[in-house]
Amino acid sequence: MLRGLTTVSFYADDVTAAVRWYAGLLGVEPYFTRSVEETLAYAEFRIGDDEDELGIVDRRFAPGPRRDEPAGAVVYWAVDDVEAAFGRLLALGATTYEKPVERGPGFVTASVVDPFGNVLGVMYNRHFLEVHDR
């Protein structure tokens, strides 16, 4: 039934500011943008080995009621060094959601709250590496 991840959507009140922050973090510009009433309302980045998609969406289009605290699923993005990625995210203005934790041999996770209220997870995952190093 589930064939793969298509797009992870993060929400922001100021999409332009969020796009600048994520472009700085990722080292790439969004490959697709859309404006509504002459204001940037959506931007999409392609990330990593599989070109997974990260969409930044104007919060007014978010489903459900607005929350003032981080909530929802934590999506973990593969990184080679969790401590380094976690430190870089904090240096860029994110705040700690969960410090790095070893979950077992070959599995380390951490997560932050980006400056726009979204939870961003990073993970060293040996299974991910096994699939991509084939």
Side-chain angles (χ1 to χ4, degrees):
M1 185 176 92
L2 301 177
R3 297 189 54 202
L5 182 66
T6 60
T7 305
V8 174
S9 295
F10 281 179
Y11 298 90
D13 291 319
D14 185 340
V15 174
T16 300
V19 166
R20 277 194 307 267
W21 193 84
Y22 274 95
L25 171 68
L26 302 170
V28 297
E29 293 296 318
Y31 79 95
F32 176 81
T33 61
R34 174 160 291 155
S35 294
V36 173
E37 299 170 0
E38 299 183 27
T39 301
L40 185 60
Y42 182 76
E44 196 163 83
F45 295 88
R46 286 198 173 140
I47 303 168
D49 299 334
D50 293 333
E51 295 190 5
D52 298 314
E53 294 180 354
L54 171 63
I56 307 297
V57 185
D58 188 311
R59 193 173 311 277
R60 65 188 159 147
F61 300 114
R66 180 185 173 115
R67 300 185 196 287
D68 291 326
E69 67 281 340
V74 178
V75 176
Y76 290 99
W77 296 88
V79 297
D80 293 325
D81 183 333
V82 170
E83 289 283 346
F86 183 71
R88 180 158 184 254
L89 287 161
L90 295 178
L92 289 171
T95 57
T96 300
Y97 192 71
E98 183 178 48
K99 292 180 180 181
V101 175
E102 185 170 341
R103 304 288 181 184
F107 302 96
V108 180
T109 66
S111 53
V112 299
V113 179
D114 74 12
F116 314 96
N118 301 289
V119 178
L120 172 66
V122 292
M123 179 180 209
Y124 177 84
N125 179 328
R126 65 185 176 104
H127 292 161
F128 178 87
L129 294 175
E130 289 168 3
V131 168
H132 285 86
D133 289 345
R134 291 183 194 172

